[in-house]
Amino acid sequence: QLRAGSSRIMAVLVLDIRNPFFVDVASGAERAAREAGLGVMVCNSGQSAQDEADYLALFAEQRVRGVLLTPVDGSGRDLAALRAQGIAHILVDRAAASEAVCSVSVDDVAGGRLAARHLVSTGHRSIAYVGGPSGLDQVRDRRVGALTVLEEAGLGEDALVEVSAVGLDVAAGRDAGARLLGLASRPTAVFCANDLLALGVLQALFAAGVRVPEDIALVGYDDIEFAAAAAVPLTSVRQPAFAMGQQAAEMLIEETGPQSAAHRHRHVVLQPELVVRQSSMR
Ligand code: RIB
């Protein structure tokens, strides 16, 4: 039985506080918390395992009501510590691997399939994949989904050209976009693991005079607010980020409320949706 902290503050630990995706997740959590008379404290792990561990220790010390977190990587090591201290926690944006932890996530394999199916159906046969750190299950699943579509279309694995990204932000997208332009045979389309990468790739292509979508089609992931407002409105795979945060917070409130029954293991998996804003037939 997870012990509810005595506090009326719920901690939300995000991977990148500057990413609008996590702002939307935190906003949904804040809405649910406020409706239950609680507040949220948003902290940033910045994808650092040490920062994540430091914050989880702080949350335990402060006896917060519970924690919503997107773990830094697949290890789940800190979750064991959280469980040992009886701190209620819900994973967000990542399906929990163990029966002991609840989670709210999106089917990212389905999301990767949506992106690749859109590009294949508009005639693209060579697609660059700009993915962030492969240690993130949710990012890895997007690539897996895209690969399955290419294989089903009879295109070999080399139809998905890997362009590594050093992170999941706009700067990493600019860097990946510059390397994409240097490829000997340039793909006709790019699928990015999230919208910040796609916005960075867009900037690099613009700077090189490459037009989107006329010369290269571009698909992002998350459908953050800036995707629609970009110089070329982005086609993106939408994650219901606000709903993820809201439902995770509601689960945590239920788990730690006075009437909470024995821990009920729940994995809520929400569905992604393709939002087409620009595309080019090949
Ligand atoms: O959580 C990892 C990534 O998945 C974040 O960058 C966010 O954009 C989501 O898409």
Side-chain angles (χ1 to χ4, degrees):
Q1 171 69 7
L2 291 170
R3 186 184 71 245
S6 55
S7 160
R8 290 202 299 138
I9 294 294
M10 177 190 301
V12 179
L13 181 53
V14 299
L15 277 180
D16 177 1
I17 202 164
R18 297 177 310 141
N19 182 340
F21 167 81
F22 289 109
V23 173
D24 292 344
V25 168
S27 302
E30 193 272 339
R31 167 78 60 79
R34 190 174 66 244
E35 285 167 3
L38 305 178
V40 298
M41 165 176 62
V42 183
C43 295
N44 182 37
S45 65
Q47 296 189 48
S48 150
Q50 186 55 57
D51 288 8
E52 178 180 89
D54 294 347
Y55 273 123
L56 295 179
L58 175 66
F59 300 155
E61 174 201 303
Q62 295 297 313
R63 292 180 54 74
V64 297
R65 178 63 171 265
V67 182
L68 304 185
L69 77 151
T70 304
V72 166
D73 64 21
S75 71
R77 67 191 168 295
D78 296 307
L79 298 184
L82 270 183
R83 261 199 304 282
Q85 293 160 326
I87 305 286
H89 52 287
I90 308 274
L91 293 196
V92 181
D93 186 39
R94 236 281 296 290
S98 86
E99 289 297 300
V101 185
C102 295
S103 63
V104 180
S105 61
V106 156
D107 181 345
D108 284 308
V109 172
R113 291 180 60 82
L114 286 172
R117 200 178 300 129
H118 166 69
L119 291 171
V120 168
S121 67
T122 46
H124 296 282
R125 294 296 174 268
S126 172
I127 300 168
Y129 174 69
V130 176
S134 57
L136 285 173
D137 298 2
Q138 54 272 45
V139 168
R140 191 203 57 221
D141 287 352
R142 292 165 202 172
R143 177 182 173 279
V144 165
L147 265 185
T148 58
V149 165
L150 297 185
E151 283 156 7
E152 288 161 6
L155 301 168
E157 279 220 354
D158 54 6
L160 194 68
V161 179
E162 301 280 342
V163 178
S164 64
V166 295
L168 282 159
D169 58 13
V170 175
R174 278 197 298 269
D175 169 70
R179 280 186 283 112
L180 173 74
L181 290 164
L183 291 176
S185 65
R186 192 183 293 173
T188 62
V190 190
F191 170 34
C192 295
N194 77 4
D195 285 344
L196 296 184
L197 285 171
L199 292 172
V201 167
L202 186 61
Q203 274 187 310
L205 296 181
F206 260 25
V210 174
R211 297 167 305 160
V212 173
E214 296 79 359
D215 300 331
I216 288 194
L218 182 60
V219 176
Y221 203 100
D222 293 341
D223 196 30
I224 59 175
E225 193 177 3
F226 302 107
V232 173
L234 275 186
T235 291
S236 184
V237 178
R238 175 167 173 63
Q239 289 204 77
F242 186 93
M244 285 166 82
Q246 196 171 31
Q247 291 188 35
E250 287 165 354
M251 282 164 82
L252 189 69
I253 291 161
E254 201 181 312
E255 290 281 310
T256 57
Q259 73 290 354
S260 74
H263 175 71
R264 283 191 306 118
H265 160 73
R266 280 170 293 171
H267 277 176
V268 171
V269 180
L270 303 175
Q271 288 309 311
E273 174 199 354
L274 180 72
V275 180
V276 178
R277 293 197 178 89
Q278 41 85 2
S279 71
S280 63
M281 288 304 292
R282 270 289 174 274

